[in-house]
Amino acid sequence: MKTGGTAILRRTLVRNRARLGIGTVLVCLHQVAETLVPISIGVIVDRAVATGDLLALAVWRCALALLFLVLTAAWRYGARFVVVAMQNEAHQLRMEVARRILDPRGVRTDLRAGELLSVSTSDADRAAWIADIAPRAAAALTAAIGSAVALLLIDVPLGLAVLIGTPVILGLLQLAAPLITRRATDQQAAVARASAMATDLVSGLRPLRGIGAEVSASRRYRAASRDALGATLHTAKSSAVFAGVSMTVSALLAVGVAGFAGWFALEGRITIGELITVVGLSQFFIEPLGVLAGLPGFLALSRASADRLALVLDAEPLLPAGPDHALDGSTLSLTDVSYRSLSTVDLRVPPGELLGVVAYRPQDAEALAALLSGQVPPDRYDGEVTVGGVRLSDADLAQARRALLVEPHNGDLFSGTVASNVTAGRPGATSAEVQAALTASAAVDVVEAHPDGLDHQVADRGSSLSGGQRQRVALARALVAQSPVMVLHDPTTAVDAVTEHTIAGGIADLRHRGATRSHTTILITSSPALLSVTDRVVVLDEGTVVGEGTHAQLAARDANYRQAVLR
């Protein structure tokens, strides 16, 4: 269901209506009490000070003290209700965006990881401002109306000046709100782009160093950061000018009211107590009038962030729901498949086969791994991909994830222990199964290298481990899952030749000998150690299948294969 930025803000107010209702009543009561303070002082002057009535003075002082007690308590508890509602809403919005991003069916959006991070954090917080803006607006209106009514009772022209001047000022200032909204939207987009680039740089720092591209990458980031800074300053300048103008106009209105009150006092139209009341009210309503004048700017910022939230919350799923057919079997078939660099690929992998795929062009390997991952919507490729005779697009999503596992060559780890990372895909795995996967992936060395063993703490994205250690732990995680069909894309690029041979034998032993001989495994690689344990090798070039045979047969008869594989 489409939401849109306005609908998100409206929903925020509705689902927090209980807290916001109580909070709004209390902060409005606070403003009423604030309005009564100068009125009470004026009454004390006229009825006690001017008359010399000590009893009246004592009574009115007690009333003033009680007024301050109500004023303080109403603000304290009202603000608490409002802040709790705002923080809870920010949390709810963050969770909604996170659930949408982590939906197994994916999300159809052009936003990168860093931009999604910005939307789920700063934009969620800003959109939740509406839970603070609405009570502030109500409280400020209450104060402005209360002041105007009090001034009307003292002198009609003074009251009319406030009643007429306030909406005129607000109406004129509201004309600037669309400009602030546009600039706030541009600012958030620029900040999100810089965040996305920073995320990409951090995750790819080692490869950048390896090819000596740090200078170029840092130059690009500096440019993106400057753009974000410029957009932020542009928005800040607009907001500052808006706030300055609104406060100045509000202050001029208050000064004008106070000036006329002084003139009326000299003419005897109002008493000294009423003059004190008018001056007090004119000073007091500068604040609520300034709040009312500044709220369009805050509302514009909140609306801009809500619009960005809607880009994620309104995005369509990448994958269709499908008829939820059950997957039964481990036969993998690609029929006349075209996707990205792949063109009319036909491939059938029967149950129990350990297949090697050599792609002369890296983009063909990437396209094949992406397609088999099940993350590509059916409208983005031609042909048919089936597992156990059922098209991936027609299969139950949870079953498809269990039946077909694709482990990319740059798989990430999560913060936690080695054990929690290895068993992430199958928490119920036994210690024997975990140990077998660690042995097959040569990740036993990672466990034995630390005193805590499987309880050794791993930093976010596995940054506390070396590249080879991360790759082996990720491979162990894939092997523990025991998926009927498993695709490994360059699983040994960060390990030495000896370890690579150990892993090749381990994969073959664990998945294709004994009770697991019905498992299907596809190795997309150019590693001769891995290819040597396969049953068959398929060669891709120019996006299509150009040859197949055993590793030994292809190495003997195909010069291109030897050049790509034997090194």
Side-chain angles (χ1 to χ4, degrees):
M1 181 180 68
K2 298 292 185 181
T3 55
T6 302
I8 289 175
L9 299 183
R10 187 184 305 116
R11 186 188 60 184
T12 293
L13 297 176
V14 170
R15 69 181 176 190
N16 293 279
R17 58 185 178 274
R19 282 196 179 96
L20 290 179
I22 297 173
T24 300
V25 169
L26 289 174
V27 295
C28 287
L29 177 60
H30 166 264
Q31 290 297 312
V32 170
E34 286 270 26
T35 307
L36 290 174
V37 169
I39 297 174
S40 300
I41 294 174
V43 171
I44 291 173
V45 169
D46 281 343
R47 296 189 180 182
V49 176
T51 61
D53 188 340
L54 296 179
L55 179 61
L57 180 62
V59 171
W60 280 104
R61 286 183 63 184
C62 291
L64 190 60
L66 180 61
L67 188 60
F68 272 101
L69 179 63
V70 172
L71 180 153
T72 303
W75 173 253
R76 178 178 180 181
Y77 292 103
R80 179 179 295 179
F81 276 102
V82 171
V83 169
V84 169
M86 183 172 62
Q87 294 302 323
N88 281 343
E89 181 60 24
H91 171 73
Q92 290 276 0
L93 290 173
R94 287 193 292 269
M95 292 301 99
E96 287 180 15
V97 174
R99 280 194 296 269
R100 190 69 191 86
I101 294 172
L102 297 176
D103 190 322
R105 293 167 62 193
V107 56
R108 196 182 294 269
T109 177
D110 294 329
L111 298 175
R112 293 185 293 171
E115 292 176 294
L116 292 172
L117 177 63
S118 177
V119 169
S120 63
T121 52
S122 61
D123 282 314
D125 289 338
R126 279 191 172 185
W129 285 358
I130 190 64
D132 182 56
I133 291 172
R136 282 182 182 273
L141 280 172
T142 300
I145 293 172
S147 299
V149 170
L151 291 173
L152 278 172
L153 294 175
I154 294 172
D155 190 88
V156 173
L158 294 177
L160 290 177
V162 175
L163 283 176
I164 297 173
T166 299
V168 169
I169 292 172
L170 295 178
L172 292 175
L173 291 173
Q174 183 65 32
L175 298 176
L179 173 63
I180 297 176
T181 301
R182 288 196 300 272
R183 291 189 175 178
T185 303
D186 293 341
Q187 174 209 346
Q188 287 296 87
V191 171
R193 285 193 295 271
S195 299
M197 190 170 294
T199 303
D200 293 342
L201 286 175
V202 170
S203 60
L205 186 57
R206 291 190 180 186
L208 286 171
R209 286 175 176 169
I211 62 175
E214 309 101 299
V215 175
S216 176
S218 63
R219 188 183 301 116
R220 289 181 58 203
Y221 177 71
R222 278 196 299 272
S225 183
R226 280 196 298 270
D227 290 343
L229 175 61
T232 301
L233 293 176
H234 207 40
T235 303
K237 181 179 179 181
S238 300
S239 300
V241 170
F242 181 88
V245 170
S246 64
M247 289 300 294
T248 300
V249 175
S250 302
L252 289 175
L253 176 61
V255 169
V257 170
F260 277 107
W263 182 23
F264 293 161
L266 289 174
E267 292 184 340
R269 290 176 55 176
I270 60 176
T271 66
I272 297 300
E274 289 174 334
L275 173 62
I276 293 173
T277 296
V278 171
V279 172
L281 287 175
S282 64
Q283 290 180 330
F284 161 68
F285 77 70
I286 288 177
E287 180 182 352
L289 191 57
V291 170
L292 287 173
L295 284 180
F298 287 104
L299 181 60
L301 295 174
S302 183
R303 171 62 191 274
S305 288
D307 288 339
R308 286 180 56 76
L309 284 171
L311 292 177
V312 178
L313 298 180
D314 287 349
E316 298 291 336
L318 268 177
L319 304 177
D324 292 343
H325 291 160
L327 291 177
D328 184 18
S330 55
T331 300
L332 174 67
S333 295
L334 281 74
T335 305
D336 201 26
V337 169
S338 295
Y339 172 65
R340 288 189 343 205
S341 63
L342 300 179
S343 177
T344 61
V345 172
D346 289 298
L347 181 63
R348 185 177 185 276
V349 189
E353 183 173 30
L354 176 54
L355 176 72
V357 176
V358 175
Y360 292 159
R361 303 189 309 171
Q363 59 265 40
D364 292 343
E366 293 284 352
L368 180 62
L371 183 64
L372 295 179
S373 70
Q375 299 292 332
V376 181
D379 60 343
R380 292 190 180 177
Y381 67 89
D382 296 322
E384 194 174 83
V385 181
T386 63
V387 176
V390 178
R391 290 187 301 182
L392 276 181
S393 57
D394 292 340
D396 175 78
L397 198 58
Q399 287 197 39
R401 295 288 187 270
R402 288 193 294 268
L404 175 59
L405 171 67
V406 177
E407 179 66 26
H409 65 86
N410 58 346
D412 284 325
L413 301 181
F414 309 99
S415 58
T417 63
V418 173
S420 66
N421 272 279
V422 171
T423 60
R426 190 164 160 251
T430 65
S431 57
E433 290 169 336
V434 171
Q435 188 61 37
L438 291 172
T439 302
S441 63
V444 172
D445 296 343
V446 181
V447 176
E448 294 177 347
H450 301 281
D452 295 332
L454 283 170
D455 294 327
H456 175 66
Q457 290 292 320
V458 177
D460 189 33
R461 304 179 70 91
S463 59
S464 57
L465 302 177
S466 69
Q469 289 176 327
R470 285 199 304 273
Q471 202 168 52
R472 283 177 282 167
V473 171
L475 177 57
R477 177 178 60 193
L479 293 172
V480 164
Q482 295 186 2
S483 300
V485 181
M486 185 170 72
V487 180
L488 300 176
H489 182 201
D490 284 333
T492 58
T493 54
V495 301
D496 58 76
V498 174
T499 304
E500 195 171 34
H501 277 87
T502 302
I503 291 173
I507 293 172
D509 290 340
L510 187 63
R511 288 188 56 83
H512 295 275
R513 294 187 175 90
T516 59
R517 60 182 178 273
S518 62
H519 283 171
T520 300
T521 307
I522 300 173
L523 300 175
I524 304 175
T525 182
S526 59
S527 163
L530 293 175
L531 294 170
S532 66
V533 300
T534 60
D535 302 317
R536 177 170 61 110
V537 176
V538 170
V539 180
L540 293 176
D541 191 20
E542 299 296 331
T544 189
V545 177
V546 295
E548 65 175 277
T550 66
H551 171 61
Q553 290 171 343
L554 291 170
R557 72 185 186 213
D558 191 331
N560 291 331
Y561 183 84
R562 285 195 302 272
Q563 183 178 0
V565 171
L566 300 180
R567 56 188 189 277

